Amino acid sequence: MDAIRSLTWSGPIVLAVVTGLGVSLSVILIAIMRRGHRLLSLSRASGRQTRRRLDAVMEMTRDGVLMLSPAGVVLSLNAAAAQMLEIDPTTSIGRSIQQLGIFLIDEKGKGLNPEFVLVNRAARAGGGPAAGPELVGISRPNQAAALARWVRLSSRVIASANDGGPVVLTTFADMTEPREV
């Protein structure tokens, strides 16, 4: 008879234990979710802070910084790059480098394909060492080579931070000085 009474009470006891475990697991799950939310918020804040720092560095440097997609579409550029390339930074984003009317020349004054110089040679180098440095003149069609702005550029393909595919990063250092052509 005692065995039967213990079985009768075991149902409510089991139910209480299971309910207690369920409540405990719920509390733990809520704590984990709150911590995950806090970590995500901190990560987003850190990402915004990193972006602000990168923007400040890009605007402070005298060197030009240009980021292109592998297809030659302008993703980002700083004011120095816009000035050197003589393009409007606000209307250049999202446009192909071919659409911007950039005219590059070599040291002999021969015209160069901007997409090849700024995108394809970096892509050929892959993720390895930067392609370049290469000295090129930024000019206008039918302008004398002596009037060109001479820049030393280096390019490298880098992985995108947001998994949007690779990005071609090109830096320009202004080397313009009186030159014999």
Side-chain angles (χ1 to χ4, degrees), residues 5 14 23 28 34 51 55 58 70 81 83 87 94-95 110 117 123 128 137 140-141 153 156 164 166:
R5 280 189 198 168
V14 169
V23 169
I28 291 170
R34 283 186 180 170
R51 180 63 192 187
D55 289 344
M58 284 184 59
Q83 181 183 8
I87 58 177
R95 294 181 63 198
K110 181 181 173 189
V117 172
R140 291 283 164 219
L153 60 88
R156 171 178 238 145

Side-chain angles (χ1 to χ4, degrees), residues 2 67 114:
D2 288 334
M67 286 188 248

Side-chain angles (χ1 to χ4, degrees), residues 9-175:
W9 285 101
S10 67
I13 292 173
V14 169
L15 181 61
V17 168
V18 169
T19 303
L21 285 174
V23 169
S24 298
L25 288 175
S26 296
V27 168
I28 291 170
L29 183 60
I30 289 170
I32 290 171
M33 289 173 53
R34 283 186 180 170
R35 179 180 169 115
H37 181 68
R38 275 194 309 271
L39 291 174
L40 182 60
S41 295
L42 289 172
S43 174
R44 286 181 181 156
S46 176
R48 285 189 298 269
Q49 184 178 27
T50 299
R51 180 63 192 187
R52 284 193 302 269
R53 288 178 182 160
L54 175 62
D55 289 344
V57 168
M58 284 184 59
E59 291 310 312
M60 294 293 294
T61 184
R62 291 187 321 205
D63 289 344
V65 180
L66 174 67
M67 286 188 248
L68 300 166
S69 74
V73 175
V74 177
L75 302 174
S76 177
L77 75 159
N78 68 352
Q83 181 183 8
M84 287 182 211
L85 294 170
E86 299 179 11
I87 58 177
D88 180 359
T90 57
T91 59
S92 300
I93 305 295
R95 294 181 63 198
S96 165
I97 200 75
Q98 295 289 1
Q99 296 173 327
L100 298 178
I102 296 170
F103 189 71
L104 302 179
I105 58 174
D106 65 12
E107 291 186 78
K108 296 176 184 172
K110 181 181 173 189
L112 300 171
N113 180 333
E115 187 171 348
F116 178 79
V117 172
L118 298 173
V119 179
N120 295 345
R121 68 188 195 93
R124 279 197 330 262
E134 181 176 350
L135 186 65
V136 298
I138 301 171
S139 185
R140 291 283 164 219
N142 303 319
Q143 180 182 17
L147 299 176
R149 176 187 297 247
W150 293 94
V151 297
R152 184 164 305 279
L153 60 88
S154 293
S155 299
R156 171 178 238 145
V157 176
I158 58 172
S160 175
N162 60 2
D163 292 334
V167 172
V168 179
L169 174 65
T170 300
T171 59
F172 302 82
D174 194 341
M175 306 300 286

